[in-house]
Amino acid sequence: MLFIVFLLFSLHKVEAASSSSSSSSASNYLIGLGSHDITGPAADVNMMGYANAEQTTSGIHFRLRARAFIVAEQHQGNRVVFVNLDACMGSQIVTIKVLERLKARYGDLYTEKNVAISGIHTHAGPGGYLQYVVYIVTSLGFVRQSFDVLVDGIEKTIIQAHENLRPGSIFVNKGELLDAGVNRSPSAYLNNPADERRKYKYDVDKDMTLVKFEDDEWGAIGSFNWFATHGTSMSRTNSLISGDNKGAAARFMEDWFEQKGVKSFDGLFANRSDTGRIPRRVSRLVPNDDANGNELMRLAASFQPYKGQPVTRLSSSARRVRNALRMAERPEFVSAFCQSNCGDVSPNVLGAFCTDTGLPCDFYHSTCNGRNELCYGRGPGSDEFESTRIIGERQFRKAAELFDKATEKLKGKVEYRHTYIDFSSLEVSVPKVGGAEVVKTCPAAMGFAFAAGTTDGPGAFDFKQGDDQGNVFWRLVRNVLKAPDQEQINCQCPKPILLDTGEMKEPYDWAPSILPVQILRIGQLVILSVPGEFTTMAGRRLRDAVKGVLISGGRKEFDNNVHIVIAGLTNTYSQYVTTFEEYEVQRYEGASTLYGPHTLEAYIQEFKKLAAALINGQTVEPGPQPPDLLDKQISLLAPVVLDATPLGVNFGDVKTDVPLDSTFKRGNTVAVTFWSACPRNDLLTEGTFALVEILQNDKKTWVPAYDDDDFCLKFKWSRPAKLSPQSYATIEWRIPENAAFGVYRISHFGASKNLLGSIRHFTGSSSAFVVA
């Protein structure tokens, strides 16, 4: 039997290699991909994105990952690194520390010039990993665990990609995805010139650009794509860590390829009759049990709950579904869904409605009877989990289509340009009737409409979008922190300043002033790394400006055949960038454009310089270095002191089990609660807190089937009281429609902490039950 399996694997390897050689000529790059867990603390940590102090982590929807590609010219040529994070955004201090580690390991091979670290903008990940005060206020300051897991995960992802470098080819494809985003600030978009708007069919970008990586030996090994839509399918009240719609799409794509690439083995190991649906993340070892219901019931009844007991630290990692039957020599398929100019793009595609009346919100201010708190974006699902799945699935299906039809091969040099710019006082030349005018950007500041939030996550009090006046009360509150001087007020006009963050320095900087701008080039693909959220029209203007420079430079490879993508929220974070006209309206995005009305023109000016330097082979001055504020960070998040259970109860014991003699159908939800401990004791990185196991054919072996990286499984953690040392873990499994019939159980892994600070790992399992 083992010989047959080995033979089939070998045949698959040959088929993959022949498929690659048939679709491409000789390789022209070295390609390496990597992926690593960056989930972070699943308890007590404020989530980054909505700035809701009450939104703290308490479990996992599915795990977060860092995914990276390295592309290098053969024969010791240039190389670039692009890392995509299932995180809200890139962080300057994370980037600084990752680059320090890379320098220690590789010397000058990977630097700020050729490394880009980008976030997908999920609003359901742990916060506290940025270095500026305004971005960590709600997380009670800096959260070392959030920071460390990102730095470690990014470094390991890049190491993996570096060690996987092999000859290969890259293909690019582009197509429209119409139903995954709508403009959440249409009144601001309409303030752009009518002639400009007429050039575009939609008020958001609908294009997805995908690159497909092919290894000379193994064939396709991964894909990265860029598409603009916010990571706000999960709401501001959600407390489960989630990659939102882009994280979901990445998992669907990786599962799809795994199922597609090894379909020859399905008959050996599993019943996969439902191949038209999104594939499940499940080991191919899971059997198709043909026993009848009565036999399964008798078998399940023979397995009692598995009481909690100590295990090794690596136990949960060893039981992860994705570790089963992985071919050690074959590169892991990696698929990333990257963020673009998503500033005004919402995944809540049904539009914004008032929760009290069901009517559409006010068009100009997104209020309901003058209140912003009641205006929310909807859909497309019946709840946030379903909406996340649907928007993720739509992106996945478009990506799979582009992946299968990608034929345009990237050819040409690997190049990059990078510089740091002080955006607090940058001189910018802007067009004016009869010539040009020199204006300046401003120190960072946020307007009153910033506090109103958006239709994806409304703010509170009496703030509203589209406010270009402010009010007396909140000005008094603002002045307690820092009153802006007249020069700053004039510079930011018509923005009424709520927080003068660029001039607030206590206990350390509240907002960034020095920002990175970067261009990465692989053949005819050009990636613009921007440290913020560009709106739709702002992104279009930036792409067009850079394209104009590239095409006018006389390089044949760019003659009307250049693919320019914006990689949003990359290397650091500085909030939003709108057009000058959108800024005048002062919706949320305009109020969050930090450096004044000419911020976009400043970016365009500096990116055009980089593009010109790239095509002319010129070097670029590095610019002023951003500060390293790690030693100044303050954390007010209380540590875990002690975990406890009632007398006679072990960590991992079942608190609430499945009913006796239970039989569940596909589509049902099974829930089991365990006595647990705080997940911050050990993040179980590359492991799992929750596991669904199926009894294999020999009736003796429990095989991993689903874990906490599966969309169908939720790990929910809670305490009976806020300061209680006791805690529970509830694991909910919504049985997929394509789950195999058989006997199952649910298991929990964790780690407890005693008064001496010692960490002890544990596990426990529920009673067995039947899925039939």
Side-chain angles (χ1 to χ4, degrees):
M1 179 64 176
L2 288 175
F3 174 76
I4 294 173
V5 173
F6 176 79
L7 179 61
L8 286 171
F9 273 133
S10 301
L11 287 172
H12 174 64
K13 178 176 176 179
V14 171
E15 289 169 1
S18 63
S19 170
S20 173
S21 61
S22 65
S23 63
S24 63
S25 58
S27 60
N28 51 337
Y29 300 113
L30 296 177
I31 300 167
L33 276 69
S35 176
H36 200 271
D37 186 358
I38 56 167
T39 300
D44 303 326
V45 174
N46 183 247
M47 287 182 164
M48 184 63 205
Y50 287 116
N52 177 11
E54 297 178 357
Q55 187 189 18
T56 57
T57 58
S58 64
I60 297 174
H61 179 208
F62 59 89
R63 285 188 170 260
L64 310 180
R65 298 197 71 79
R67 298 173 172 89
F69 70 73
I70 299 176
V71 175
E73 294 174 342
Q74 299 211 36
H75 313 300
Q76 304 300 313
N78 288 335
R79 61 183 61 201
V80 294
V81 184
F82 189 90
V83 184
N84 190 62
L85 304 177
D86 286 348
C88 194
M89 67 280 288
S91 158
Q92 197 161 71
I93 191 61
V94 168
T95 300
I96 288 171
K97 296 307 174 183
V98 168
L99 292 173
E100 286 179 359
R101 293 193 183 187
L102 294 177
K103 183 174 180 61
R105 182 180 293 271
Y106 299 114
D108 292 330
L109 195 61
Y110 302 113
T111 71
E112 71 274 4
K113 297 178 182 178
N114 64 345
V115 176
I117 303 174
S118 183
I120 63 170
H121 210 35
T122 175
H123 286 41
Y129 63 90
L130 290 93
Q131 70 171 352
Y132 296 103
V133 173
V134 75
Y135 304 130
I136 56 177
V137 167
T138 56
S139 61
L140 300 178
F142 190 71
V143 179
R144 189 77 199 201
Q145 275 191 318
S146 296
F147 171 80
D148 283 344
V149 76
L150 279 170
V151 174
D152 292 344
I154 295 167
E155 181 192 22
K156 289 174 181 175
T157 301
I158 294 174
I159 291 171
Q160 187 183 128
H162 176 87
E163 293 177 349
N164 285 341
L165 278 168
R166 296 160 52 91
S169 300
I170 309 172
F171 299 85
V172 63
N173 200 3
K174 182 177 179 179
E176 280 190 343
L177 174 57
L178 299 179
D179 54 359
V182 296
N183 197 306
R184 69 185 186 189
S185 292
S187 60
Y189 180 87
L190 289 174
N191 206 47
N192 291 306
D195 289 346
E196 182 180 35
R197 288 186 281 110
R198 276 194 289 269
K199 296 193 303 184
Y200 304 100
K201 189 175 180 181
Y202 305 105
D203 62 359
V204 297
D205 283 340
K206 300 289 188 179
D207 286 335
M208 175 184 285
T209 301
L210 176 140
V211 289
K212 174 182 180 180
F213 299 98
E214 286 198 357
D215 183 281
D216 278 2
E217 181 180 3
W218 290 103
I221 56 171
S223 68
F224 278 56
N225 71 72
W226 290 264
F227 176 77
T229 194
H230 248 77
T232 49
S233 293
M234 300 297 290
S235 75
R236 69 190 301 273
T237 59
N238 162 65
S239 64
L240 301 184
I241 291 175
S242 173
D244 210 279
N245 55 70
K246 285 191 177 291
R251 280 146 182 76
F252 297 157
M253 184 81 169
E254 289 169 349
D255 296 343
W256 167 79
F257 184 84
E258 178 189 355
Q259 178 171 303
K260 175 184 177 183
V262 295
K263 58 187 176 184
S264 307
F265 307 101
D266 291 348
L268 282 175
F269 301 123
N271 175 20
R272 296 196 182 233
S273 59
D274 202 3
T275 56
R277 301 176 63 85
I278 291 176
R280 55 197 169 118
R281 295 181 72 87
V282 60
S283 164
R284 293 185 295 277
L285 284 170
V286 174
N288 177 25
D289 200 321
D290 294 325
N292 64 46
N294 291 332
E295 290 174 344
L296 293 177
M297 287 293 296
R298 284 193 293 271
L299 184 59
S302 66
F303 289 92
Q304 299 302 311
Y306 191 68
K307 289 184 69 65
Q309 67 173 25
V311 292
T312 66
R313 187 180 187 281
L314 298 178
S315 296
S316 74
S317 178
R319 299 298 286 169
R320 286 187 75 237
V321 171
R322 284 119 209 107
N323 291 340
L325 252 185
R326 175 166 289 165
M327 298 169 65
E329 71 276 18
R330 189 192 194 286
E332 177 185 359
F333 185 85
V334 177
S335 182
F337 285 68
C338 311
Q339 194 54 270
S340 190
N341 53 317
C342 67
D344 53 358
V345 188
S346 170
N348 298 305
V349 294
L350 299 184
F353 295 86
C354 297
T355 57
D356 56 345
T357 65
L359 298 174
C361 306
D362 174 79
F363 181 75
Y364 294 98
H365 302 290
S366 294
T367 56
C368 303
N369 293 319
R371 299 180 60 194
N372 68 79
E373 298 97 323
L374 302 177
C375 178
Y376 278 90
R378 286 184 185 172
S382 58
D383 61 28
E384 59 192 315
F385 299 103
E386 184 69 1
S387 291
T388 297
R389 182 194 65 78
I390 292 171
I391 298 298
E393 179 180 350
R394 289 173 181 175
Q395 291 178 77
F396 148 65
R397 293 196 181 282
K398 174 53 65 173
E401 175 192 326
L402 296 175
F403 180 89
D404 277 343
K405 297 178 180 179
T407 58
E408 180 186 342
K409 191 173 182 179
L410 294 185
K411 299 176 183 179
K413 293 182 178 181
V414 174
E415 297 179 287
Y416 47 84
R417 293 294 185 274
H418 174 284
T419 190
Y420 290 110
I421 303 293
D422 187 344
F423 270 75
S424 67
S425 58
L426 180 65
E427 290 189 348
V428 184
S429 178
V430 297
K432 185 180 180 181
V433 177
E437 177 187 10
V438 176
V439 296
K440 293 184 72 172
T441 56
C442 322
M446 298 189 293
F448 275 67
F450 157 79
T454 71
T455 56
D456 292 333
F461 304 109
D462 54 351
F463 296 102
K464 64 181 180 180
Q465 295 194 67
D467 182 0
D468 60 0
Q469 299 298 320
N471 66 56
V472 174
F473 173 76
W474 288 111
R475 281 194 173 88
L476 291 173
V477 173
R478 171 200 67 191
N479 291 346
V480 173
L481 295 172
K482 171 67 172 69
D485 59 27
Q486 193 60 47
E487 181 180 0
Q488 172 75 324
I489 291 171
N490 293 342
C491 187
Q492 292 281 350
C493 185
K495 177 199 294 178
I497 297 173
L498 177 64
L499 290 173
D500 191 14
T501 52
E503 299 183 314
M504 297 166 69
K505 305 294 182 181
E506 296 296 334
Y508 46 88
D509 292 358
W510 278 57
S513 59
I514 298 172
L515 303 178
V517 291
Q518 179 187 54
I519 294 180
L520 307 180
R521 179 220 167 176
I522 307 168
Q524 62 269 35
L525 174 71
V526 175
I527 302 171
L528 309 181
S529 301
V530 299
E533 303 174 58
F534 278 55
T535 61
T536 299
M537 194 64 85
R540 288 168 175 170
R541 290 184 189 178
L542 176 62
R543 285 197 303 263
D544 287 347
V546 171
K547 184 176 182 179
V549 173
L550 296 176
I551 292 177
S552 65
R555 298 269 286 264
K556 290 184 178 180
E557 61 266 42
F558 293 139
D559 287 350
N560 297 315
N561 191 35
V562 59
H563 300 273
I564 300 179
V565 295
I566 289 175
L569 307 114
T570 300
N571 293 328
T572 190
Y573 183 63
S574 59
Q575 293 174 252
Y576 285 75
V577 180
T578 64
T579 67
F580 179 87
E581 295 83 1
E582 291 165 350
Y583 186 91
E584 289 183 309
V585 175
Q586 281 298 295
R587 294 272 300 191
Y588 173 83
E589 295 82 11
S592 304
T593 296
L594 296 184
Y595 308 103
H598 303 293
T599 301
L600 174 60
E601 287 74 18
Y603 273 104
I604 290 174
Q605 172 181 282
E606 298 307 313
F607 268 101
K608 287 173 70 174
K609 291 179 183 178
L610 290 187
L614 186 143
I615 63 174
N616 293 324
Q618 299 170 336
T619 59
V620 176
E621 290 296 320
Q625 290 294 305
D628 179 344
L629 302 176
L630 185 59
D631 292 341
K632 296 185 177 182
Q633 296 301 310
I634 298 170
S635 178
L636 301 178
L637 178 66
V640 180
V641 177
L642 170 70
D643 294 291
T645 60
L647 288 175
V649 174
N650 298 325
F651 291 105
D653 281 0
V654 175
K655 182 176 183 292
T656 305
D657 206 352
V658 294
L660 291 175
D661 302 325
S662 294
T663 298
F664 297 92
K665 298 184 181 297
R666 293 166 173 172
N668 291 164
T669 297
V670 185
V672 179
T673 300
F674 297 86
W675 289 99
S676 190
C678 185
R680 283 195 282 149
N681 294 324
D682 189 326
L683 306 183
L684 298 188
T685 302
E686 291 291 357
T688 183
F689 288 102
L691 186 67
V692 174
E693 300 171 288
I694 186 170
L695 198 63
Q696 211 171 348
N697 280 330
D698 60 9
K699 309 298 189 293
K700 297 178 181 179
T701 305
W702 289 101
V703 175
Y706 303 89
D707 61 25
D708 67 12
D709 204 17
D710 279 293
F711 206 84
C712 63
L713 194 66
K714 296 186 181 75
F715 165 66
K716 299 181 175 180
W717 180 84
S718 63
R719 294 185 179 95
K722 187 172 183 179
L723 299 178
S724 174
Q726 296 181 6
S727 63
Y728 319 129
T730 298
I731 298 172
E732 293 182 359
W733 179 41
R734 188 178 186 279
I735 304 171
E737 295 298 327
N738 54 5
F741 294 138
V743 175
Y744 289 84
R745 72 178 184 184
I746 294 177
S747 297
H748 170 45
F749 293 89
S752 64
K753 184 177 183 180
N754 62 26
L755 274 174
L756 299 177
S758 177
I759 304 295
R760 297 179 181 179
H761 293 78
F762 62 85
T763 187
S765 300
S766 72
S767 298
F769 55 91
V770 173
V771 173

